[in-house]
Amino acid sequence: MLLAADCFAEVRNRAAISSTSTHLLETLQREVEKEHPYYLNSETAMALTMRIATLWGTPETCSWLKGCLQSDPLSFVPESCVYAIVQGWKDNPDTLPWLKTRAQTDEDEYVRCAAMQALGQGWKDDPETLSILKTRAQIDKNEIVRHVAVQALSQGWKGDPNILLILKTCAQINEDEDVRSAAIQALAQGWKDNSNILPWLKTCAQTDKSEFVRSAAIQALAQGWKDEPEVFEFLSNCTQHDPFEHKYFLGTNPRQTALEAIVNYYPTHPQVLELLSDRAQNDPDEQVREFATQQLAELQ
């Protein structure tokens, strides 16, 4: 069906095959409207809705796509329809206010995410876009939406001092560790030249209650400030003193994160072999001991 749509796109005089056009459109729409939420994967749902939007860009098609937002929230169709509407009707005066509403009030968190991404990419200069993203980053009830809002803010307003404060707040007090990690990564990438970011990241790497967030801060430090003279010593300290303990079968151990960073960025440092040997023998985490032993053998 996608091949048929691509072939139809090559037809110069589509009016001459109007019955075929109608049949193809209805066939594609039926696929999108399948009730089983897992019938279409993300890529296929996006491909179908994009073909429909670009080949049949009528007001009726736009209304149909908007109606598909009521599909099962477990399916990929609703969010795909948001992107399709933006693709086909970006210049329509109704699209921007519709996106603003979807970003703030839609019950489907993935629709809110798609709408926010569209606003950040296509309507960055609209005076309400920044306000909407700021609000969603701080108070949205869903952590996935807050995460996406943080990313949109960092990508669209990199270097903005007002966004710096919002991201710092998200990194410090947001209840979701994934949101705090996203904010840390955004700050490390967008505000690297700010002299306050390095000591602030060190604090996050040492004091955040989540091992996942501490690991994110350690990775950001290693990637962005590996040439700073004190960073190796800081990472070395993390490999020995981070308080991580396995509470579940899975977990992100900041000690191993720091050790991996040292091996990747400082393989010829004179203290690396000694550090690996110490962790191979003394780390309380079996996985860290195994990693250190393996790296020690390879480097030697």
Side-chain angles (χ1 to χ4, degrees), residues 16-82:
I17 54 169
S18 59
S19 61
T20 300
S21 173
T22 301
H23 177 60
L24 179 56
L25 172 59
E26 291 174 349
T27 304
L28 294 173
Q29 288 176 325
R30 281 197 297 272
E31 291 303 304
V32 174
E33 292 171 342
K34 296 280 189 180
E35 293 185 1
H36 194 289
Y38 302 112
Y39 178 72
L40 298 175
N41 61 31
S42 177
E43 182 180 356
T44 306
M46 185 72 75
L48 286 168
T49 53
M50 283 294 187
R51 298 299 199 289
I52 291 170
T54 54
L55 295 177
W56 293 275
T58 64
E60 293 77 17
T61 303
C62 184
S63 296
W64 176 82
L65 286 167
K66 288 180 178 179
C68 287
L69 265 66
Q70 305 305 315
S71 300
D72 192 313
L74 294 177
S75 80
F76 294 104
V77 168
E79 59 190 285
S80 299
C81 288
V82 173

Side-chain angles (χ1 to χ4, degrees), residues 246 253 255-256 279-280 283-293:
H246 274 294
N253 190 333
R255 295 197 300 278
Q256 181 164 334
R279 292 299 87 198
D283 197 278
D285 187 336
E286 180 181 358
Q287 293 180 3
V288 176
R289 295 197 302 273
E290 290 177 354
F291 174 79
T293 300

Side-chain angles (χ1 to χ4, degrees), residues 254-271:
R255 295 197 300 278
Q256 181 164 334
T257 301
L259 202 57
E260 290 173 352
I262 286 173
V263 171
N264 289 333
Y265 294 113
Y266 308 94
T268 60
H269 194 286
Q271 296 179 28

Side-chain angles (χ1 to χ4, degrees), residues 11-268:
V11 175
R12 294 184 179 181
N13 183 11
R14 297 177 190 171
I17 54 169
S18 59
S19 61
T20 300
S21 173
T22 301
H23 177 60
L24 179 56
L25 172 59
E26 291 174 349
T27 304
L28 294 173
Q29 288 176 325
R30 281 197 297 272
E31 291 303 304
V32 174
E33 292 171 342
K34 296 280 189 180
E35 293 185 1
H36 194 289
Y38 302 112
Y39 178 72
L40 298 175
N41 61 31
S42 177
E43 182 180 356
T44 306
M46 185 72 75
L48 286 168
T49 53
M50 283 294 187
R51 298 299 199 289
I52 291 170
T54 54
L55 295 177
W56 293 275
T58 64
E60 293 77 17
T61 303
C62 184
S63 296
W64 176 82
L65 286 167
K66 288 180 178 179
C68 287
L69 265 66
Q70 305 305 315
S71 300
D72 192 313
L74 294 177
S75 80
F76 294 104
V77 168
E79 59 190 285
S80 299
C81 288
V82 173
Y83 296 118
I85 289 168
V86 172
Q87 175 71 22
W89 291 269
K90 186 177 187 296
D91 297 327
N92 187 304
D94 295 333
T95 299
L96 177 56
W98 178 81
L99 277 175
K100 290 177 180 178
T101 301
R102 298 277 69 78
Q104 298 176 88
T105 64
D106 200 281
E107 288 299 314
D108 186 334
E109 62 267 25
Y110 293 103
V111 169
R112 298 203 299 279
C113 289
M116 284 193 308
Q117 288 175 326
L119 286 171
Q121 293 169 7
W123 287 271
K124 179 188 171 186
D125 295 330
D126 184 87
E128 293 184 29
T129 294
L130 180 56
S131 175
I132 290 171
L133 293 177
K134 285 180 179 179
T135 302
R136 292 301 100 199
Q138 297 176 85
I139 68 168
D140 196 276
K141 61 185 178 182
N142 185 274
E143 65 275 9
I144 297 173
V145 179
R146 297 197 300 271
H147 185 165
V148 170
V150 164
Q151 290 180 322
L153 285 169
S154 64
Q155 292 167 4
W157 289 267
K158 190 175 291 186
D160 187 323
N162 294 321
I163 303 304
L164 172 64
L165 179 59
I166 291 172
L167 293 178
K168 274 191 171 183
T169 301
C170 289
Q172 292 171 323
I173 67 173
N174 196 283
E175 62 184 21
D176 184 74
E177 62 182 17
D178 191 46
V179 176
R180 298 203 302 279
S181 297
I184 284 172
Q185 292 164 355
L187 287 165
Q189 294 169 7
W191 286 264
K192 185 176 182 296
D193 296 332
N194 187 307
S195 60
N196 295 321
I197 294 298
L198 177 57
W200 179 82
L201 280 175
K202 288 181 178 180
T203 300
C204 291
Q206 292 177 314
T207 63
D208 195 279
K209 61 184 179 181
S210 165
E211 66 271 13
F212 183 68
V213 177
R214 296 199 303 278
S215 288
I218 288 169
Q219 288 176 330
L221 280 167
Q223 291 170 359
W225 287 267
K226 60 182 179 295
D227 297 326
E228 294 294 325
E230 73 269 25
V231 170
F232 177 86
E233 182 179 350
F234 180 84
L235 293 173
S236 178
N237 183 68
C238 289
T239 66
Q240 298 171 304
H241 301 297
D242 187 274
F244 173 83
E245 294 181 7
H246 274 294
K247 299 181 181 68
Y248 309 102
F249 178 72
L250 297 176
T252 302
N253 190 333
R255 295 197 300 278
Q256 181 164 334
T257 301
L259 202 57
E260 290 173 352
I262 286 173
V263 171
N264 289 333
Y265 294 113
Y266 308 94
T268 60

